[in-house]
């Protein structure tokens, strides 16, 4: 099996990622205005994103991206390819890993209580 195919097998659409899992953006298939919006909210290759909450009807879903909470419809999130970030080993000093911190800090410290 070649490397490119193996990489594709490890990827999934952001809309398919389970709640609470940390993912890393690998690519966007969106074009035009939708692509610009996704890039503007921080969904750039290499960014970490975590699905946080789904609406009762299942669409849209709230995602944590670089300290912000954004809502995407399934058709939008389906155009973002991600890979799951494995749970890193805990730090002996008790510090959280950078993968877990990315996208989890509130944009405004006053909002951390929400």
């Amino acid at each position: 099996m070649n490397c490119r195919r193996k990489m594709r097998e490890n990827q999934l659409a952001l809309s398919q990622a389970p709640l609470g899992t940390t993912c890393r953006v690998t690519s966007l298939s969106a074009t035009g205005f939708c692509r610009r919006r996704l890039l503007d909210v921080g969904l750039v290759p290499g960014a970490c994103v975590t699905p946080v909450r789904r609406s009762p009807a299942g669409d849209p879903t709230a995602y944590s991206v670089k300290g912000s909470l954004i809502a995407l419809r399934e058709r939008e999130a389906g155009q973002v390819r991600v890979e799951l970030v494995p749970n890193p080993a805990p730090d002996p000093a008790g510090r959280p890993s950078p993968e877990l911190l990315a996208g989890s800090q509130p944009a405004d410290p006053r909002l951390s209580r929400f």
Side-chain angles (χ1 to χ4, degrees), residues 40-103:
D40 286 346
V41 297
L43 291 171
V44 296
C48 289
V49 58
T50 304
V52 177
R53 184 176 306 149
R54 282 193 172 71
S55 72
D59 194 31
T61 300
Y63 298 93
S64 174
V65 181
K66 295 186 178 183
S68 296
L69 196 62
I70 63 166
L72 295 175
R73 296 243 176 241
E74 187 173 351
R75 69 178 178 274
E76 296 166 331
Q79 296 178 348
V80 179
R81 300 296 293 174
V82 297
E83 62 184 1
L84 298 178
V85 175
N87 289 336
D91 187 291
R95 295 181 301 258
S97 71
E99 289 90 359
L100 295 178
L101 286 177

Side-chain angles (χ1 to χ4, degrees), residues 6 14 21 33 38 45 75 79 84 95 101 104 107:
K6 186 175 180 181
L14 180 57
T21 59
F33 178 75
L38 293 172
R75 69 178 178 274
Q79 296 178 348
L84 298 178
R95 295 181 301 258
L101 286 177
S104 65

